[in-house]
Amino acid sequence: MAEPSSRRTQVGIVGAGPAGLVLGRLLDLQGIDSVILEARSREYVEKRVRAGVLEQGTVDLMQEMGVGDRMLAEGLVHHGIHLRFDRRDHHIAFDELTDGRGITIYGQQEVVKDLIAARLEADAPLHFEVEEVSLADLDSEQPLIRYRHEGEQRELRCDVIAGCDGFHGVCRETVPEGALRFHVRDYPFAWFGVLAEAPPSTEELIYCSSERGFALHSMRSPQLSRLYFQCDPDEKLEDWPDERIWEELHTRLEREDDWSLTEGPLVEKGITPMRAFVAEPMQYGRLYLAGDAVHIVPPTGAKGLNLAVSDVRVLAEALGRWFEGGDDSLLESYSDVCLRRVWRTQHFSWWMTWMLHRFPDDEDGFQAKLSRAQLEYVCSSKAAATTLAENYVGLSQVGSEA
Ligand code: RFL
Ligand code: PHB
């Protein structure tokens, strides 16, 4: 058999989702060499419909990285959300509750497209459709990534590996048993999500708690609506023809006045299980895990992408410090610093999920009564509304995080 072709880099990055691509960009800007390996094709990652809400910190970072122009031109800035229950809307005004902060609606695949374009323009290595990725020598000073690309076996020697390969990736799995602790919660429901070629029927997002369960009206542009509704985790896409989807959305999102939901062709449909997951610590030897590879939050708080970006921002700074002068103190504290935000975000995402969904095992309606009491509190107390607002727009500091 032919010898594998080998090369070396400072940081081997597995995964070209938001975490891997932002990390690659931040390293590039510091003059640190990296190689990004991605299992899927460029077309696939650029079309994958996922998150849509960017916190101000993520927006600011996109601009600092010089990839924010299209986001500034096309992104929709929102200053609040609506909570809908009892067929009535209650506005949570982020700007008033958080010193003028807001969020930007800009699809994750657009963020990914902008970062890929910048990486290719900078001539920095990014390989799509790599196969059989495996890691070795994680507790040595020169960890190794083996993979196949364009029919050839390759090896990449690194100073550090960044595992940014999402929840189903291989990096976390490579860590020896017992070295990580896992925390998992599976929710007894999923989200049915659709993308509709229909102008949004609202200027700001609507988070709706209804008798039939949660629904969310989001958007991607003035022509594209993004809608979700809570469903059974075993639900099958084929049981949901378009008419049934619209009927369910109309029923859940109904408002007492003459508000109505505009329909349009459905161009994407998917079912996402709801799960909370954290692996700790976020590092093993010279492998640093970031983003969905090491934590998952239920999407109700719109946090997954933003959390992935926060991780790699901390990691890029830590790597910069280390490569520059050998100071590894920030690398040492990487996991602790990130986990403070991860757990704050887990709590917020759990709280939003708990407050807005119907739990199928709630036989005597106790849970529903508690959620209702909390919704009414959030909509009537400035203190409670501020808790929602400041977490949603993104806390600039968590605990004693620097
Ligand atoms: P990703 O995006 O999953 O990227 C990982 C990449 O690694 C590749 N990969 C591999 N590459 C090489 N070798 C291997 N062996 C590999 N295995 C996997 C994958 O192909 C992929 O390209 O993880 P990353 O970068 O950590 O980013 C995380 C975010 O994608 C995720 O947290 C968000 O999408 C979550 N999320 C939301 N987050 C928000 O901040 N705001 C939102 O509004 C929001 N809404 C959502 C969401 C996620 C959703 N779904 C579908 C899970 C709404 C939904 C419905
Ligand atoms: C989305 O637009 O995809 C979206 C918005 C808010 C969420 C989750 C997803 O909480």
Side-chain angles (χ1 to χ4, degrees):
M1 220 167 79
E3 280 289 301
S5 78
S6 55
R7 63 161 291 185
R8 53 158 289 119
T9 185
Q10 287 175 290
V11 185
I13 302 175
V14 187
L21 289 165
V22 169
L23 179 63
R25 180 73 181 166
L26 289 172
L27 294 176
D28 211 22
L29 293 173
Q30 297 180 84
I32 297 168
D33 182 54
S34 67
V35 175
I36 305 184
L37 303 175
E38 165 59 49
R40 303 285 192 163
S41 68
R42 178 177 180 182
E43 197 194 5
Y44 183 92
V45 297
E46 290 190 343
K47 288 213 172 122
R48 192 163 41 193
V49 180
R50 280 194 170 178
V53 175
L54 308 186
E55 293 176 358
Q56 191 60 49
T58 305
V59 168
D60 294 345
L61 186 66
M62 289 286 285
Q63 285 174 262
E64 283 163 33
M65 295 188 298
V67 292
D69 287 354
R70 204 163 64 89
M71 174 195 68
L72 285 191
E74 296 175 20
L76 308 169
V77 177
H78 286 191
H79 298 289
I81 54 167
H82 298 287
L83 294 180
R84 183 172 293 182
F85 58 97
D86 263 356
R87 304 196 298 134
R88 270 185 229 135
D89 278 349
H90 307 262
H91 190 238
I92 306 294
F94 295 159
D95 47 353
E96 287 166 25
L97 296 162
T98 68
D99 298 331
R101 276 142 64 85
I103 49 157
T104 297
I105 308 297
Y106 189 64
Q108 176 167 327
Q109 74 270 38
E110 307 305 326
V111 171
V112 162
K113 269 187 219 163
D114 296 343
L115 286 160
I116 289 176
R119 179 137 188 122
L120 297 179
E121 200 181 302
D123 230 1
L126 163 55
H127 303 302
F128 292 100
E129 299 180 73
V130 302
E131 296 169 296
E132 299 168 26
V133 173
S134 66
L135 315 188
D137 306 338
L138 294 181
D139 41 18
S140 78
E141 292 193 349
Q142 290 285 289
L144 179 72
I145 309 178
R146 292 195 179 92
Y147 61 103
R148 272 187 86 73
H149 190 229
E150 294 170 341
E152 192 184 292
Q153 201 61 41
R154 302 195 183 179
E155 287 188 353
L156 184 62
R157 275 277 164 210
C158 316
D159 293 321
V160 162
I161 297 174
C164 302
D165 52 348
F167 184 67
H168 301 286
V170 294
C171 292
R172 188 183 68 241
E173 301 294 324
T174 310
V175 176
E177 215 178 308
L180 300 180
R181 212 169 41 251
F182 300 105
H183 306 272
V184 191
R185 284 287 178 283
D186 283 311
Y187 288 89
F189 37 74
W191 274 19
F192 200 115
V194 297
L195 193 62
E197 283 176 348
S201 310
T202 177
E203 285 189 358
E204 294 181 328
L205 271 55
I206 304 168
Y207 284 82
C208 175
S209 164
S210 85
E211 290 284 317
R212 294 180 60 81
F214 173 73
L216 170 63
H217 188 331
S218 180
M219 63 199 69
R220 286 293 177 270
S221 72
Q223 298 81 35
L224 270 182
S225 296
R226 179 80 169 136
L227 296 138
Y228 299 97
F229 61 89
Q230 167 186 354
C231 68
D232 192 277
D234 300 323
E235 208 67 69
K236 301 273 173 290
L237 277 180
E238 53 272 25
D239 293 336
W240 287 84
D242 294 5
E243 313 76 67
R244 187 175 173 210
I245 293 173
W246 284 114
E247 196 184 315
E248 192 63 44
L249 285 166
H250 281 295
T251 311
R252 293 200 195 186
L253 285 165
E254 196 177 48
R255 204 169 73 177
E256 59 177 3
D257 59 10
D258 57 3
W259 180 88
S260 70
L261 177 64
T262 305
E263 294 188 14
L266 297 180
V267 288
E268 217 269 340
K269 296 181 199 175
I271 296 177
T272 309
M274 297 275 276
R275 176 180 294 133
F277 167 82
V278 182
E280 317 186 294
M282 290 167 55
Q283 176 235 344
Y284 175 80
R286 290 278 181 100
L287 169 68
Y288 293 85
L289 297 164
D292 277 17
V294 65
H295 44 65
I296 297 272
V297 288
T300 327
K303 289 289 167 215
L305 181 155
N306 294 293
L307 202 51
V309 169
S310 296
D311 287 350
V312 294
R313 176 183 231 160
V314 175
L315 185 56
E317 193 192 341
L319 289 169
R321 193 77 82 82
W322 184 57
F323 282 120
E324 191 184 72
D327 174 2
D328 66 356
S329 56
L330 291 184
L331 275 180
E332 286 282 312
S333 60
Y334 167 73
S335 178
D336 287 347
V337 168
C338 290
L339 282 167
R340 277 200 286 275
R341 181 174 291 273
V342 168
W343 282 112
R344 169 89 295 281
T345 305
Q346 282 291 1
H347 180 271
F348 176 65
S349 305
W350 164 80
W351 180 75
M352 287 285 280
T353 304
W354 171 87
M355 181 168 73
L356 288 158
H357 289 71
R358 292 269 149 169
F359 283 73
D361 54 359
D362 184 30
E363 273 147 33
D364 64 355
F366 188 78
Q367 152 75 31
K369 292 280 185 195
L370 291 181
S371 310
R372 162 54 66 93
Q374 187 63 25
L375 271 172
E376 285 177 2
Y377 181 46
V378 166
C379 296
S380 59
S381 151
K382 189 172 175 191
T386 305
T387 292
L388 192 160
E390 70 178 6
N391 278 278
Y392 198 101
V393 299
L395 294 164
S396 41
Q397 226 171 298
V398 179
S400 54
E401 187 182 83

